[in-house]
Amino acid sequence: MRDRCSFQLWTNVLLTDPERVSFEEHPVFACLSHGFYHIVMLVKSIIQNASVYEEEDFNPHLPFPCSSRYSLHEVVQLLKDVELDLVKSSEDPARSEDKTKLLTLSSRIAFMRLFLVVISYLVPPRRTECIDSDPTQLPSLDAVGFTADLDSATRVASKLVLLSSKFLDTSMNEAAPRPNGIERDGDFSWLVAFEPELNRRYLPSTFPRKIEILPREKALPHLHRISCKIQFMATQVHNNLADSGTLVEFMKWFSFDDSCVLTRSILQMVVYPLDDNVLGTQPTALLVERSLKNTVLPLALIPHTPLYDNEECRKVVEDFTMNMTRVMLSLYQNFGFNLARQRDKLVVILEEMNELHEDACRADSVCREILKDLHNKYNPFVTFVFTQTLALVVYHIELSFRLDLFSPFEFTYIYWFYGEVVGRWYMTSIEKTREIMKDTLKKELELHDQGRKNKKKARPRLQHEEHFRIRSAIWQDQLILRYGHSAMADATFHMAAALIKMGQIRVPMWDADSERLRFEHRMAFLSSVGEPLHVSYEEFLMRSRVRELIDGDIAVPLQRAIDTFELARNQFEKLSDRPEFTMHIKPLILVCRTNVVVARLLLAGNVQDRRVIWQFLPDSPMFPVLKLVAGK
């Protein structure tokens, strides 16, 4: 009973009111109490200032006033002093029996200290004059001139990961003894952390929602994942700033892979600590301009050309770049939200991207007016906007799969749309970008030869040609990848049609328009984009011939699925020696091989007593693997 009362005192008094304990009287309890206070306030400050949380992710309400007399810097130093004192005490022969407990406590204090230190390297500090202000208010940050110290953060994060990995092995056995009669309880459910009445009294009024307080077995791995995400962020941000596209891919995959509202908020503060300058120093417009050069290389962005030197052309290109930058900033911020909110807000970003089409048309038109001999199909800015739109459409579909929003009876039109519409237009846009860049270099060579007065201008020519060769190799790999995706989607479409024919997938039909309504609902996010991506239900029926497949011979869609799964696998295997593709294509090759086997068994008719189920692997969120299970 005494132990239980002491724990109640710790969790309900010392943690909620650090001012009750001082370092002079109780150094260990004081550093823990004040350390937890600064961690809580730091997390609260980061998430609130990043402004990418929703009510289901984070509740900014602080139920009671809480403060600390010590600054963050003082607490970090005191944590280090106590940590060293505990290690020194563990080496005392007179305290050999307590050595394990002392080292365990020291490692926990070290984790708190390292967490505070690594965050201080990544996130702007609070203003000095705000330290003693009302802690329930939004803390302001002193982000002027701040740039994340990624090298120092990497070193500290490595130690943080090492400590958190050790916790996974030791924490379950190093804690307070269990009461009599409790054999196994790694979560310490017998130890009440906070009085329930205290929680009920201070809970804010919100809509009913499912809240999970992580148990001990889940909380410790979660701390380890946070540590790993911080380390990954610190080591990889610099490597993904080549252009706006690479930063988009990095932030997208960061949000996919075990992220939480805290780690996503930290990334937002690292990339944009104050304004629209990446890492506080590099304008986002510069990344957009690099992306334009890497994608279509407009002649208007090449120095010493008539378009580059023309005032009117420069003005429309700058307007386009600024408007594109605004959309990209919205997209970057969107990656800070959870996946469901990202999907919702992506519709608005698609609308903003569609509005850029007019600016792109104006820029292309001005370019063609200045250089009369440019053909009408030379439209680099329109092509760039369309390419970015396609990437967002693919991302929206991927989010829908990751959120498990599609039912198997919807797979026919979802996979047909992804393969036949999005996939083919994606491949066409890649070819188009290559043609435009080739036309740009051809025209630039003509202008270079006409106005050449000295040999110094030959150097940019060599740089542009080398740039084109590098981009051509990248485009070729992307074409292979997209062709494989398109073939795999076509195979899954035919497989779904075959399973509907076999009765393995039941399509609910409340009335004659049920399927049409479902199709239009799924395609509604493309209403602002328009043609050629927004297709009608009638166009789907005509181009896919899905009704003929379902009403005809079962062997036709099954054989087509086998052939196209094999085709997709062959395409993916062409990229197997590319390290940058290995992580993505290995699961897809496995899915293709497995689905071919299942399709052949179904075609042979030897598994009529089996049921076919769809299963999405963690590494293949968009393409399911088929499995045969007992029972109809």
Side-chain angles (χ1 to χ4, degrees):
M1 184 66 184
R2 182 179 61 186
D3 288 339
R4 189 179 182 114
C5 289
S6 63
F7 283 119
Q8 290 286 338
L9 174 66
W10 163 245
T11 56
N12 292 313
V13 178
L14 300 186
L15 280 183
T16 59
D17 190 2
E19 294 291 10
R20 290 176 178 265
V21 57
S22 65
F23 278 93
E24 293 77 15
E25 298 177 355
H26 302 286
V28 175
F29 278 126
C31 75
L32 289 171
S33 181
H34 290 273
F36 274 122
Y37 163 80
H38 279 282
I39 288 177
V40 170
M41 296 306 297
L42 198 57
V43 169
K44 179 176 182 287
S45 173
I46 291 169
I47 296 176
Q48 285 186 282
N49 280 281
S51 300
V52 289
Y53 67 91
E54 295 292 339
E55 186 178 297
E56 63 265 28
D57 295 323
F58 176 72
N59 181 4
H61 179 76
L62 198 62
F64 40 77
C66 191
S67 62
S68 171
R69 75 189 75 171
Y70 302 102
S71 68
L72 176 61
H73 177 74
E74 291 173 331
V75 168
V76 169
Q77 185 59 48
L78 291 169
L79 284 168
K80 187 173 183 179
D81 294 341
V82 172
E83 174 191 341
L84 295 176
D85 288 342
L86 289 172
V87 173
K88 185 177 180 180
S89 298
S90 68
E91 298 172 352
D92 186 354
R95 307 193 66 178
S96 58
E97 294 182 358
D98 298 329
K99 182 175 182 178
T100 301
K101 294 181 180 179
L102 292 171
L103 291 177
T104 299
L105 185 57
S106 172
S107 66
R108 271 55 175 178
I109 293 175
F111 182 86
M112 293 174 60
R113 176 178 62 83
L114 292 174
F115 182 82
L116 290 170
V117 170
V118 74
I119 295 300
S120 67
Y121 284 136
L122 296 173
V123 177
R126 292 179 63 188
R127 294 184 184 277
T128 305
E129 62 269 20
C130 295
I131 295 297
D132 297 326
S133 62
D134 184 359
T136 63
Q137 300 300 316
L138 179 69
S140 59
L141 299 179
D142 187 10
V144 178
F146 177 83
T147 300
D149 188 349
L150 297 178
D151 293 334
S152 298
T154 299
R155 291 193 298 270
V156 177
S158 300
K159 300 176 183 178
L160 200 66
V161 171
L162 181 62
L163 272 178
S164 61
S165 63
K166 291 181 178 179
F167 293 167
L168 300 178
D169 300 326
T170 61
S171 287
M172 295 303 175
N173 301 318
E174 298 174 356
R178 304 181 184 91
N180 294 331
I182 297 181
E183 297 297 331
R184 296 184 61 186
D185 185 11
D187 189 34
F188 293 84
S189 59
W190 50 270
L191 180 60
V192 181
F194 289 88
E195 287 291 349
E197 185 60 34
L198 180 68
N199 282 341
R200 282 193 292 269
R201 186 186 311 165
Y202 289 112
L203 276 177
S205 299
T206 59
F207 290 106
R209 60 188 180 186
K210 181 180 179 181
I211 300 176
E212 179 187 9
I213 298 177
L214 293 179
R216 187 178 178 85
E217 288 95 344
K218 292 183 180 180
L220 293 174
H222 183 65
L223 284 178
H224 181 63
R225 286 194 297 271
I226 288 178
S227 304
C228 292
K229 292 295 286 186
I230 291 175
Q231 183 190 36
F232 177 76
M233 179 197 314
T235 56
Q236 296 300 319
V237 166
H238 264 312
N239 300 331
N240 290 275
L241 299 179
D243 56 29
S244 60
T246 55
L247 183 56
V248 165
E249 286 298 309
F250 172 73
M251 299 184 80
K252 179 178 74 174
W253 286 104
F254 186 91
S255 67
F256 282 161
D257 186 22
D258 282 333
S259 68
C260 63
V261 62
L262 174 60
T263 53
R264 292 193 301 270
S265 297
I266 294 174
L267 180 60
Q268 291 286 319
M269 300 299 293
V270 169
V271 177
Y272 291 108
L274 180 62
D275 47 26
D276 61 349
N277 289 325
V278 177
L279 299 182
T281 59
Q282 188 173 183
T284 304
L286 182 60
L287 268 66
V288 172
E289 186 175 316
R290 289 179 192 163
S291 190
L292 274 165
K293 292 179 179 179
N294 289 334
T295 306
V296 290
L297 189 60
L299 196 61
L301 295 181
I302 298 180
H304 311 300
T305 61
L307 296 182
Y308 184 86
D309 297 331
N310 184 275
E311 187 67 28
E312 181 185 4
C313 181
R314 185 183 305 169
K315 178 66 169 59
V316 295
V317 171
E318 287 178 355
D319 290 344
F320 172 80
T321 304
M322 289 299 103
N323 290 333
M324 175 60 76
T325 300
R326 176 178 53 81
V327 176
M328 297 307 294
L329 287 171
S330 299
L331 181 59
Y332 293 145
Q333 185 182 41
N334 191 46
F335 289 122
F337 293 94
N338 62 48
L339 298 187
R341 296 294 179 177
Q342 285 187 41
R343 182 177 177 272
D344 293 341
K345 296 176 184 295
L346 203 58
V347 177
V348 179
I349 297 176
L350 278 169
E351 294 176 358
E352 295 175 351
M353 188 69 74
N354 187 58
E355 293 173 359
L356 283 174
H357 184 78
E358 184 177 345
D359 295 330
C361 289
R362 187 183 305 112
D364 287 332
S365 177
V366 170
C367 291
R368 289 193 295 268
E369 287 177 3
I370 296 172
L371 290 179
K372 303 294 185 181
D373 54 344
L374 284 175
H375 55 77
N376 292 331
K377 293 184 179 180
Y378 185 78
N379 52 354
F381 295 99
V382 169
T383 302
F384 180 76
V385 171
F386 185 66
T387 302
Q388 301 301 310
T389 302
L390 278 170
L392 295 182
V393 171
V394 171
Y395 185 50
H396 188 279
I397 297 173
E398 184 173 0
L399 285 174
S400 300
F401 275 110
R402 287 181 178 272
L403 293 169
D404 196 21
L405 299 181
F406 296 135
S407 297
F409 57 78
E410 297 178 295
F411 284 175
T412 49
Y413 46 81
I414 295 299
Y415 283 107
W416 172 84
F417 173 76
Y418 183 73
E420 180 66 21
V421 180
V422 176
R424 292 188 180 279
W425 275 109
Y426 218 123
M427 290 185 285
T428 301
S429 68
I430 293 175
E431 292 285 4
K432 179 67 173 177
T433 55
R434 179 155 53 186
E435 292 175 6
I436 288 178
M437 188 175 288
K438 190 175 181 180
D439 290 341
T440 298
L441 293 177
K442 181 180 178 181
K443 185 61 181 177
E444 194 262 343
L445 177 60
E446 294 176 2
L447 296 172
H448 179 268
D449 292 338
Q450 292 173 5
R452 183 171 55 184
K453 296 180 180 179
N454 53 63
K455 295 182 179 180
K456 292 183 179 179
K457 292 185 179 180
R459 182 173 296 177
R461 284 286 319 147
L462 297 176
Q463 291 177 352
H464 292 151
E465 290 174 355
E466 179 64 22
H467 178 69
F468 178 71
R469 282 193 289 269
I470 294 173
R471 298 306 303 178
S472 293
I474 295 174
W475 288 327
Q476 186 60 37
D477 290 344
Q478 288 294 330
L479 274 174
I480 294 172
L481 181 65
R482 286 299 161 188
Y483 188 41
H485 273 258
S486 183
M488 201 169 181
D490 181 74
T492 310
F493 158 72
H494 283 88
M495 199 71 209
L499 293 178
I500 292 175
K501 169 74 174 179
M502 298 170 64
Q504 295 276 1
I505 296 178
R506 293 177 174 83
V507 181
M509 296 292 291
W510 294 278
D511 55 50
D513 291 330
S514 294
E515 192 73 352
R516 176 195 298 273
L517 293 174
R518 285 193 290 264
F519 178 90
E520 292 175 349
H521 172 69
R522 290 304 184 191
M523 300 298 155
F525 76 100
L526 293 167
S527 58
S528 63
V529 177
E531 295 181 351
L533 298 181
H534 190 215
V535 297
S536 65
Y537 182 64
E538 288 75 14
E539 186 177 356
F540 158 67
L541 294 178
M542 180 184 66
R543 293 173 59 181
S544 68
R545 298 183 178 180
V546 63
R547 289 181 176 173
E548 290 88 336
L549 290 172
I550 294 175
D551 296 336
D553 185 1
I554 187 65
V556 174
L558 284 176
Q559 187 59 53
R560 177 60 184 268
I562 293 171
D563 295 340
T564 45
F565 272 129
E566 290 284 9
L567 176 62
R569 180 178 63 83
N570 291 334
Q571 295 300 314
F572 294 139
E573 287 178 345
K574 293 178 182 179
L575 302 173
S576 58
D577 60 339
R578 310 285 204 281
E580 63 271 24
F581 291 105
T582 302
M583 181 181 68
H584 304 295
I585 64 173
K586 275 190 174 181
L588 298 180
I589 292 174
L590 174 62
V591 171
C592 288
R593 287 175 175 169
T594 305
N595 290 354
V596 165
V597 173
V598 173
R600 284 175 175 163
L601 290 173
L602 292 174
L603 184 60
N606 298 327
V607 288
Q608 296 181 359
D609 59 335
R610 299 293 184 92
R611 183 165 54 91
V612 181
I613 61 172
W614 307 80
Q615 182 178 352
F616 288 91
L617 302 177
D619 295 330
S620 177
M622 292 187 65
F623 295 102
V625 63
L626 296 172
K627 290 193 174 183
L628 296 172
V629 297
K632 289 293 287 183

